[in-house]
Amino acid sequence: MNNSLRTSIKHLGCNFLALARFSALHSFSSLSSPHTTERFAQSQPQQQQQDPYALMKEDPIQICSDIWVKSFSTPKSKQFANLTGFLSKFDIWVLAYQRSVAHFTGSFPSRNAISSQVLHDLLSLRDAVVKGQFCWNMKTEPFIRSPTEKPMSNRKLQKFLESNHPPFQDRVVQEVLLLILEPVFESRFSSKSHAFRPGRSAHTVIRTIRSNFAGYVWFLRGDLSEVLENVDRNLVMGCLEKVVKDKRVLGLINSALREPMTCGSESGRDHESREAKRKKRKGEEKSKRRKVLNPNEPKPDPYWLRTFFDFAPEEAAKVPSYGYCGILSTLLANVCLSELDYMMEEKIAEFCGSFMHNPMWKNSIADGCHNPAWPEFVPSCEKEKTKRMDYIRYGGHFLVGIRGSRENVVEVKEGITGFCKTEFGITLDKSKLQIEHVSRGIQFLDHVICHRVIYPTLHYTGTGGQIVSRKGVGTLLSVTASLPQCIRRFRHLELLKGDKDPEPLPCTPMLYSSQAHTNSQMNKFLETMADWYRFADNRKKVVGFCAYVIRSSLAKLYAARYKLKSRAKVYNIATRDLSNPLRERANNMSSEYSDLLRLGLIDVIEGVQFSRMSSIPSCDYTPFPRNWVPEHEKVLLEYVKLQDPKFFCELLVSIKTQGLSLPQDEISETVWDFKTFGVRRFVTEMKRHQTTMNELQAPQDVDLVMEAERERHSTFARDSKSTVLNLGSAERALLQFGAEDAATDLSALCLGYLELKNGST
């Protein structure tokens, strides 16, 4: 998390900078002692001394679930005026602490493993936030410290104060705000945005484009990444205040959005830049050495994962970072960019007009499960009736598909440019908002969108029963992976050289790893790449190319390590997938490989995957609903619907109107018959019904017998009601279902039937 943070002492004047650093070192050194927290606790007022265990009464997951349900059940126009109640719940703070510790250490601690002293410090942090006494980037006197933090020397402490790394308590506060604000805005975000949101990803963007953007001829590809890099604080606060009215929460975010102040002359800044470059070179030299991790320090990302991160497309490479907001920045970026989503939804409705609900588009819009492998047929009629537009956004990049004339496209472009100028203060020139035709291909998320036009012959029955054949026009949307972009990524990783005829290079970062470990790492990378290009039409081709580059790179690496001089000799010994062990010479014996030989684990060496085209999976053409909603939102909407009593009233009315019967009614009727007439008569009726059904010979007899059974059943019910009316009040009370459980009555009925069947009674 690369936050542009500064130390709090730099807010002071330049004349007092040295004095502030001295006082900060003195105060932080005192905090490093084990008795600091005790002195700090003794200095607190008596009313603040609360028992944290007494405040841990609720389940934090249940509290978060209540926030999600409340957000999705309230109308989108309603504002949240009181969120301090959730901010005061100590259970949410404990969950935020657990998530923060998991981020720094790599392991999620249980609630029982948190010490009493940490809980008291966490309670002090909560009280400071609720009472407005919390300050961001407070490194000198933190309320709570990271579990991996140790007492520092003065030199390390000064380096920590001058760094941009945020303190641990800022991460905890950010987690709390995210747990509270994310469900509030998720229920109001548009379904057109897919970045930095739970349940949505770049894959959902590609599948939505394949399913919804067929038939569009013109495309507008826009870039609003400036909003992710730098945003006006007034813009963010204005968008937040449309939904949130809680002054405490708004004040916290407003203070976090303030840019850290810097002081110093030009010469001082030049000296600092030179010092930063010198430290960077020194850090690079240290990074080449093997580092011994601390006991609680998380392991770094493996090589295959770092390699895959370098394959991130341009649209997903930039992650927003606003002031001290940290992980809250992605939510705030979506809050600002959602204004563009709302505007585009209104423009789509205005653009399509009355033709949006035309019967010719009815099946293609509300089909619920469209198969993208089938062509979408465009009805042949007036051009005005076939006008359509759609929009989708991923982060700061968006794509607009338009079916209409170029004049319509220019008009939409001018509307978007004017909105971004007035709302975000960003001028979209030709390089940031381009008009592209589908015939040239549109690149989005490292995939190329193009059309394949087909002219099938449609056969249908016309008036008079005649078979009519008519020539139709259909468009099949093609979404393919960009192979040139893939080559550029490999060149950036120094695994390829050249443009027209790229040549693989040896994978030098894995030089000192064993053959088994190297193959395993590269297999994970290839599996991830195959999953990334899962919905590309040319999935086999691009994954086969990636496998060729990786396999050739490893072959060159093994040829250099084992002194085999060429890839051909490596393939002769290790086979095509490099699964056979490569023997080494005596003067170049690797300790890892010797251990494998000694332990007899030579068969564990995995072969490099996708060495043959037949082993590469094909493109996934699973039907994707046009009005797709993530699973967690489906569950929330269903739960909210079940909580509404009007839903059950409407359901009961529809059942009575359609003449349907509920399973509960049938069970109640069975138990009623058993109570009123006893098990013997009930079993007799069942046997008579079974005998009658067995004697049926023709299908027409079934209808007659069923009609007779219905009449007999109605007579049977009238007799049962008259029998109950003749009973006394005590006997009638025994027949009420409230006296006994319905499940007990049904089990007694089954037991009685089994006893009669076995002849025991």
Side-chain angles (χ1 to χ4, degrees):
M1 184 172 52
N2 300 322
N3 295 339
S4 58
L5 303 178
R6 301 292 186 273
T7 57
S8 58
I9 57 176
K10 289 186 179 180
H11 290 281
L12 300 175
C14 302
N15 298 332
F16 303 97
L17 186 59
L19 180 61
R21 286 185 178 178
F22 176 78
S23 60
L25 291 174
H26 178 73
S27 59
F28 203 93
S29 301
S30 62
L31 284 175
S32 302
S33 62
H35 305 287
T36 304
T37 53
E38 297 180 4
R39 294 197 304 267
F40 182 75
Q42 293 174 1
S43 63
Q44 298 295 317
Q46 190 68 25
Q47 61 270 17
Q48 294 185 2
Q49 300 296 327
Q50 302 178 15
D51 185 12
Y53 293 99
L55 300 176
M56 298 169 59
K57 300 178 181 179
E58 303 179 55
D59 183 12
I61 305 299
Q62 183 62 39
I63 298 175
C64 296
S65 302
D66 295 340
I67 301 176
W68 280 90
V69 172
K70 181 180 179 181
S71 302
F72 275 81
S73 59
T74 55
K76 293 186 177 182
S77 59
K78 185 178 179 180
Q79 298 176 341
F80 286 82
N82 184 16
L83 292 177
T84 309
F86 294 107
L87 193 64
S88 305
K89 291 184 178 295
F90 187 65
D91 299 277
I92 292 185
W93 287 86
V94 175
L95 178 61
Y97 174 80
Q98 292 173 299
R99 289 164 59 115
S100 303
V101 171
H103 172 75
F104 281 93
T105 63
S107 59
F108 192 86
S110 62
R111 300 184 72 177
N112 299 330
I114 304 176
S115 63
S116 174
Q117 186 60 51
V118 171
L119 291 177
H120 280 87
D121 296 342
L122 192 62
L123 183 60
S124 302
L125 177 62
R126 187 208 68 169
D127 294 340
V129 171
V130 173
K131 296 179 180 179
Q133 302 172 357
F134 173 76
C135 294
W136 296 94
N137 201 32
M138 179 60 68
K139 298 181 180 180
T140 56
E141 296 180 358
F143 291 94
I144 190 171
R145 294 187 297 169
S146 172
T148 60
E149 189 176 321
K150 296 181 179 179
M152 304 180 187
S153 62
N154 291 341
R155 183 177 180 181
K156 290 184 177 181
L157 181 58
Q158 183 177 1
K159 184 178 179 181
F160 172 72
L161 292 175
E162 294 176 352
S163 66
N164 293 332
H165 297 289
F168 176 75
Q169 65 179 11
D170 285 12
R171 174 79 185 202
V172 177
V173 179
Q174 293 164 8
E175 288 281 0
V176 172
L177 291 175
L178 186 65
L179 289 173
I180 296 175
L181 293 178
E182 186 179 36
V184 172
F185 287 98
E186 275 294 326
S187 59
R188 285 155 176 77
F189 283 155
S190 171
S191 60
K192 306 292 185 181
S193 65
H194 292 257
F196 316 126
R197 297 184 60 186
R200 291 176 169 86
S201 63
H203 276 171
T204 59
V205 175
I206 296 171
R207 298 185 73 184
T208 304
I209 290 174
R210 181 189 292 278
S211 180
N212 296 4
F213 279 68
Y216 296 129
V217 179
W218 298 99
F219 284 85
L220 283 171
R221 188 159 57 94
D223 181 8
L224 285 174
S225 55
E226 290 186 19
V227 179
L228 306 182
E229 298 172 356
N230 188 16
V231 68
D232 186 12
R233 183 178 61 180
N234 297 328
L235 172 63
V236 178
M237 296 307 299
C239 296
L240 285 174
E241 289 173 358
K242 293 180 181 179
V243 180
V244 179
K245 290 296 182 181
D246 192 291
K247 295 183 179 180
R248 183 67 62 201
V249 175
L250 293 176
L252 270 175
I253 300 176
N254 190 18
S255 60
L257 286 171
R258 294 176 181 173
E259 289 294 333
M261 297 176 61
T262 58
C263 58
S265 61
E266 293 291 334
S267 59
R269 284 196 291 268
D270 294 340
H271 174 72
E272 289 179 1
S273 62
R274 290 194 297 269
E275 187 71 17
K277 291 181 180 179
R278 187 184 63 83
K279 290 181 179 180
K280 183 178 180 181
R281 288 195 299 268
K282 188 176 180 181
E284 290 178 354
E285 294 176 0
K286 286 185 176 181
S287 63
K288 296 181 180 178
R289 307 172 188 172
R290 292 192 175 184
K291 180 183 178 182
V292 179
L293 301 177
N294 296 326
N296 295 330
E297 186 177 0
K299 295 182 180 179
D301 294 332
Y303 172 72
W304 70 269
L305 189 58
R306 298 195 304 271
T307 306
F308 176 71
F309 285 160
D310 290 336
F311 267 80
E314 179 186 359
E315 292 82 1
K318 294 183 179 179
V319 179
S321 180
Y322 302 149
Y324 302 127
C325 292
I327 57 175
L328 202 63
S329 302
T330 55
L331 178 64
L332 299 180
N334 271 333
V335 170
C336 297
L337 291 172
S338 61
E339 300 295 327
L340 177 64
D341 302 337
Y342 303 148
M343 188 274 294
M344 288 304 302
E345 289 180 349
E346 296 176 358
K347 190 171 287 292
I348 289 173
E350 180 183 353
F351 183 83
C352 299
S354 59
F355 302 109
M356 189 174 182
H357 304 286
N358 197 302
M360 68 176 63
W361 298 116
K362 184 177 180 181
N363 295 331
S364 62
I365 294 177
D367 56 356
C369 193
H370 171 65
N371 191 344
W374 298 341
E376 176 169 336
F377 296 103
V378 179
S380 56
C381 58
E382 301 176 9
K383 293 184 179 180
E384 291 296 327
K385 292 185 178 181
T386 59
K387 287 175 55 177
R388 292 181 66 187
M389 185 170 68
D390 209 340
Y391 160 85
I392 197 168
R393 180 178 62 84
Y394 188 85
H397 296 257
F398 62 89
L399 188 68
V400 182
I402 301 174
R403 180 172 179 83
S405 61
R406 183 178 174 83
E407 288 75 13
N408 300 137
V409 182
V410 173
E411 183 181 353
V412 174
K413 178 183 177 181
E414 293 176 353
I416 296 176
T417 305
F419 179 83
C420 294
K421 180 65 176 178
T422 57
E423 189 71 19
F424 304 129
I426 298 176
T427 303
L428 296 179
D429 52 9
K430 293 182 179 180
S431 61
K432 295 183 179 179
L433 186 59
Q434 304 175 4
I435 299 178
E436 300 182 1
H437 196 269
V438 71
S439 58
R440 296 188 176 183
I442 294 89
Q443 185 168 328
F444 196 74
L445 289 173
D446 284 355
H447 287 68
V448 180
I449 306 166
C450 56
H451 272 176
R452 285 191 300 168
V453 183
I454 58 175
Y455 302 91
T457 303
L458 305 178
H459 303 277
Y460 59 92
T461 305
T463 58
Q466 296 180 356
I467 303 298
V468 180
S469 299
R470 186 179 178 182
K471 203 72 173 179
V473 180
T475 57
L476 183 60
L477 190 69
S478 177
V479 181
T480 58
S482 177
L483 193 58
Q485 191 70 13
C486 184
I487 294 175
R488 293 191 203 101
R489 304 295 183 191
F490 275 119
R491 288 180 57 196
H492 177 70
L493 293 170
E494 297 181 354
L495 295 177
L496 273 181
K497 67 177 181 178
D499 294 330
K500 296 182 179 180
D501 190 12
E503 177 69 18
L505 296 175
C507 184
T508 53
M510 305 296 293
L511 180 62
Y512 298 102
S513 299
S514 64
Q515 182 182 355
H517 179 69
T518 304
N519 287 7
S520 175
Q521 289 284 303
M522 292 298 102
N523 278 337
K524 293 178 181 178
F525 170 72
L526 288 176
E527 290 175 0
T528 313
M529 292 298 296
D531 184 70
W532 166 240
Y533 294 116
R534 179 180 178 181
F535 302 101
D537 290 338
N538 60 342
R539 184 187 187 186
K540 280 181 171 290
K541 180 180 179 180
V542 68
V543 174
F545 174 76
C546 295
Y548 160 74
V549 173
I550 296 298
R551 192 170 61 252
S552 302
S553 178
L554 293 183
K556 284 192 173 184
L557 174 68
Y558 295 152
R561 181 193 299 173
Y562 304 127
K563 298 183 179 180
L564 297 176
K565 297 183 179 180
S566 66
R567 286 183 287 173
K569 292 185 179 181
V570 174
Y571 289 137
N572 289 335
I573 299 175
T575 66
R576 182 184 178 91
D577 60 353
L578 305 176
S579 58
N580 288 349
L582 293 166
R583 297 183 180 181
E584 302 171 338
R585 298 183 181 182
N587 57 354
N588 190 25
M589 184 66 67
S590 175
S591 60
E592 294 88 354
Y593 188 70
S594 302
D595 294 339
L596 289 175
L597 286 175
R598 192 181 305 111
L599 297 175
L601 300 177
I602 206 66
D603 297 331
V604 219
I605 300 178
E606 301 178 5
V608 179
Q609 292 189 4
F610 310 133
S611 58
R612 300 190 181 277
M613 191 66 71
S614 58
S615 61
I616 303 176
S618 302
C619 177
D620 188 358
Y621 288 108
T622 306
F624 192 69
R626 293 184 185 271
N627 301 324
W628 175 80
V629 176
E631 290 297 328
H632 71 280
E633 291 189 11
K634 287 183 180 179
V635 174
L636 281 170
L637 294 175
E638 289 293 333
Y639 183 80
V640 170
K641 186 186 296 184
L642 292 176
Q643 296 296 319
D644 188 7
K646 295 182 180 179
F647 170 73
F648 291 99
C649 296
E650 295 175 357
L651 182 63
L652 185 59
V653 171
S654 62
I655 289 175
K656 292 182 178 180
T657 305
Q658 300 178 10
L660 303 177
S661 60
L662 297 173
Q664 294 87 342
D665 296 339
E666 297 180 359
I667 295 176
S668 302
E669 187 177 356
T670 303
V671 175
W672 180 271
D673 294 342
F674 168 71
K675 283 188 170 186
T676 53
F677 299 103
V679 67
R680 292 183 178 274
R681 181 171 177 180
F682 179 78
V683 173
T684 304
E685 294 291 334
M686 291 293 294
K687 288 182 177 179
R688 182 188 303 172
H689 176 73
Q690 187 66 27
T691 304
T692 307
M693 296 300 295
N694 292 336
E695 293 177 355
L696 295 177
Q697 298 295 335
Q700 57 270 20
D701 296 339
V702 179
D703 299 334
L704 298 176
V705 173
M706 292 301 295
E707 186 66 26
E709 286 292 325
R710 292 193 194 98
E711 295 180 0
R712 186 183 56 79
H713 184 74
S714 59
T715 306
F716 182 73
R718 287 195 300 268
D719 296 341
S720 63
K721 291 180 181 179
S722 61
T723 305
V724 174
L725 292 175
N726 294 330
L727 296 175
S729 59
E731 295 174 339
R732 240 182 297 170
L734 293 175
L735 293 178
Q736 294 180 359
F737 288 102
E740 297 177 343
D741 188 35
T744 307
D745 299 334
L746 192 58
S747 61
L749 172 63
C750 297
L751 290 175
Y753 175 73
L754 291 176
E755 291 178 358
L756 288 178
K757 187 175 181 181
N758 297 331
S760 60
T761 58

